[in-house]
Amino acid sequence: YIPHIVLGKGPPGGAWHSMEGSMLTISFGDWMELPGLSFKEWAASKRRNIKSDRVMPEEIACYYKHYVKVMGLQKNFRDNVYITSVSRLYRGKDDEDRSQQNEDISTQHLEMEDGQKSLIKRNWEVRGYQRATDGSHVPFCLFAENVALATGTFDSPGRLQVEGEDYPFVLHSMSDFGAAISKGK
């Protein structure tokens, strides 16, 4: 088990939940499947016979959502979460030397469900808010050893407000990417 948390605007499956229902994927390849549960096995358990490699977005969204449930990962997912900043926490050479000798503020122990303790390094600070059911915003700040950013493509391309984001070769949508490819850029 790798300790992790997934923060997102919507449920597991991301943009697949907001795509037009009559649309079909170009193909459903192994690259879209998750470990331990193939899409075809999942579809067969739902009594749907996959005759081609093209499936509707709703099916993919349901597959991803079901995967989280069947793998017992619900506790790792937070919906209605909006990230406002991700910052790298820098330490000087002296801080690194001290942390090797004894535990400093950049390292903490994380207790797992099985009672074991794991050492994590606080390399990143993630800030944002979670939208509550009453519409209010509940701010949060968490620290992580590693961060993976998925900034969106279909529903709303994410802007990170970072240096270089507006360079002409940085693209923010699949349609812009497709146009650049067709023009040979």
Side-chain angles (χ1 to χ4, degrees):
Y1 176 79
I2 299 170
H4 68 285
I5 187 167
V6 179
L7 308 171
K9 291 186 254 181
W16 290 105
H17 290 281
S18 58
M19 291 183 194
E20 187 181 320
S22 61
M23 201 167 79
L24 291 173
T25 61
I26 293 173
S27 67
F28 188 88
D30 293 340
W31 62 272
M32 295 176 73
E33 293 186 330
L34 298 169
L37 180 65
S38 80
F39 182 80
K40 288 184 178 168
E41 288 171 12
W42 175 80
S45 74
K46 300 293 176 203
R47 293 185 174 81
R48 182 182 178 313
N49 187 14
I50 303 292
K51 292 185 167 97
S52 74
D53 286 338
R54 300 186 72 193
V55 296
M56 294 188 300
E58 178 185 5
E59 294 172 298
I60 297 168
C62 287
Y63 164 71
Y64 288 144
K65 201 170 178 180
H66 180 79
Y67 182 87
V68 168
K69 184 177 180 183
V70 86
M71 295 298 177
L73 298 171
Q74 301 97 314
K75 66 187 177 307
N76 299 76
F77 281 77
R78 302 292 182 276
D79 300 346
N80 298 313
V81 172
Y82 298 80
I83 305 300
T84 57
S85 73
V86 177
S87 303
R88 178 92 163 133
L89 300 177
Y90 291 98
R91 294 180 294 177
K93 178 80 171 108
D94 292 339
D95 291 339
E96 288 176 14
D97 290 341
R98 265 196 309 272
S99 70
Q100 289 174 0
Q101 295 168 2
N102 57 33
E103 188 175 313
D104 68 3
I105 61 165
S106 65
T107 306
Q108 71 182 38
H109 287 280
L110 178 68
E111 188 161 336
M112 308 299 213
E113 284 187 0
D114 61 5
Q116 292 184 345
K117 290 195 181 219
S118 175
L119 193 64
I120 64 166
K121 294 178 183 167
R122 297 165 50 156
N123 297 332
W124 297 92
E125 177 186 79
V126 180
R127 290 184 177 271
Y129 64 88
Q130 185 169 26
R131 186 174 293 151
T133 52
D134 66 1
S136 64
H137 294 177
V138 179
F140 69 85
C141 176
L142 61 90
F143 299 94
E145 183 172 355
N146 298 294
V147 171
L149 296 175
T151 61
T153 55
F154 179 80
D155 60 342
S156 177
R159 301 284 177 155
L160 298 175
Q161 312 302 316
V162 297
E163 185 180 332
E165 185 172 36
D166 294 321
Y167 289 160
F169 54 84
V170 176
L171 306 174
H172 297 279
S173 73
M174 289 305 287
S175 59
D176 291 345
F177 182 66
I181 295 290
S182 67
K183 292 176 184 173
K185 290 188 175 180

